[in-house]
Amino acid sequence: MKTICLALVCALALAGAGAPRAAAADKTPGPLAVAADAVVVRPLCLASTIVGSALFVVALPVAAASKSVKPTADALVAKPAAATFKRPLGDLDAMAE
């Protein structure tokens, strides 16, 4: 039984060794990435946009007093909204920027 498990692990390791190079050459997202983006990531980004908007309204007097309204709005509202509505479906790398 140990021999079979060891052979299976070695075969999977060899099969997976070429996967990162193949994935790096192809920039189109796979169906799993698109599905995960549509079902999990986009709703979380939308919730982040809503919560960030509420926090921005609360922080607005302090931001106005310190003359940092634009950076505050960018961090709390614009970036989450761009991650929700502007990036292509399945492009999870665009959120890191």
Side-chain angles (χ1 to χ4, degrees):
M1 187 68 177
K2 279 185 173 178
T3 308
I4 294 173
C5 289
L6 184 61
L8 183 61
V9 167
C10 288
L12 288 174
L14 287 174
R21 286 179 290 185
D26 187 17
K27 292 290 185 181
T28 59
L32 184 60
V34 172
D37 190 11
V39 174
V40 177
V41 177
R42 294 289 170 135
L44 288 175
C45 287
L46 180 63
S48 176
T49 302
I50 293 168
V51 170
S53 298
L55 286 174
F56 175 69
V57 170
V58 171
L60 188 58
V62 176
S66 66
K67 297 182 180 169
S68 62
V69 174
K70 180 147 176 51
T72 305
D74 285 343
L76 294 176
V77 181
K79 286 184 181 179
T84 305
F85 300 111
K86 290 187 178 180
R87 66 181 173 82
L89 193 62
D91 185 14
L92 300 176
D93 293 334
M95 292 184 359
E97 295 172 356

